[in-house]
Amino acid sequence: LGKGYELASDMNRALQTYKDITLRTTNKNDPWALKASERLSALLTPWLDAAIASRDDLTVVSLFHRHGALAEQRYKHSPLLLDIAESHRRLGFSPEAIRLYQLVIKSHSDSTVLESALIGLGKIYLDQRDPQAARKVLERYRFQFPIGKHEGEVVHLLIDTMRQQSDLQGLLHL
């Protein structure tokens, strides 16, 4: 049905049909849902890339959620998920951004992506006035990447968290 809409140049109905298939499935291994998810990705990824390049956060978030129920699974191992999480953070969708950053941290082994995800997660916790959680994430960054490329920023963020916690001892040891 989705292919028929594509052939008729009715992309909105085609996208909605593919998304509906992914939302209606109860089994994530359902071949119809997987095929629909693959087709959604093929159609939406170029738009998503362009929105990320132009820093159009609203379009990034909108396109990501148009991917349907399997969106996270589809981008789980892609560095695009980090950009999608950052767009959520900048728009103020903190709970969703936290979940996406945590997914990036769990599913990636690339140090560049991990460093950025840890910093993004720490910033969200600071924005939410949760210095204890921010401190844990930022200290994990310093432990995992002692000479990371964001070390200066992490130290600055750690100073902010320790100030919020009134931890003078921690500031002295930093």
Side-chain angles (χ1 to χ4, degrees):
L1 189 60
K3 280 283 193 191
Y5 287 133
E6 281 185 63
L7 293 173
S9 297
D10 190 352
M11 292 308 290
N12 284 330
R13 288 179 80 181
L15 292 171
Q16 189 59 47
T17 301
Y18 292 132
K19 182 179 178 182
D20 289 345
I21 292 169
T22 66
L23 292 174
R24 288 186 186 145
T25 186
T26 56
N27 179 4
K28 289 193 177 189
N29 294 324
D30 179 12
W32 286 100
L34 293 174
K35 289 283 186 191
S37 176
E38 288 172 11
R39 192 64 194 141
L40 272 173
S41 283
L43 294 171
L44 294 176
T45 299
W47 291 349
L48 191 60
D49 289 335
I52 288 169
S54 67
R55 297 187 55 88
D56 183 356
D57 293 330
L58 188 58
T59 302
V60 170
V61 170
S62 175
L63 288 172
F64 175 71
H65 290 286
R66 287 191 80 175
H67 276 79
L70 302 176
E72 291 171 17
Q73 185 178 4
R74 190 82 185 132
Y75 290 104
K76 187 176 184 177
H77 299 290
S78 169
L80 280 178
L81 192 59
L82 177 63
D83 295 320
I84 294 165
E86 288 173 358
S87 290
H88 279 82
R89 180 183 65 82
R90 286 191 296 266
L91 288 175
F93 298 125
S94 298
E96 181 74 5
I98 288 171
R99 205 172 51 69
L100 293 173
Y101 277 124
Q102 289 172 342
L103 184 61
V104 169
I105 291 167
K106 289 177 188 172
S107 61
H108 281 270
S109 58
D110 179 20
S111 63
T112 307
V113 174
L114 281 174
E115 285 183 61
S116 297
L118 288 169
I119 288 175
L121 189 56
K123 285 179 179 178
I124 287 179
Y125 287 140
L126 276 175
D127 292 344
Q128 290 186 329
R129 306 261 187 258
D130 188 353
Q132 185 175 0
R135 185 171 178 173
K136 286 179 183 178
V137 170
L138 295 170
E139 285 177 345
R140 175 182 171 182
Y141 175 95
R142 290 193 73 207
F143 178 75
Q144 199 167 347
F145 305 103
I147 52 173
K149 69 177 186 176
H150 301 288
E151 180 63 22
E153 183 179 4
V154 169
V155 169
H156 176 71
L157 293 170
L158 270 171
I159 289 170
D160 286 347
T161 61
M162 290 176 188
R163 280 187 190 149
Q164 288 181 19
Q165 291 178 315
S166 300
D167 182 6
L168 297 177
Q169 279 292 62
L171 282 170
L172 291 173
H173 286 286
L174 191 60

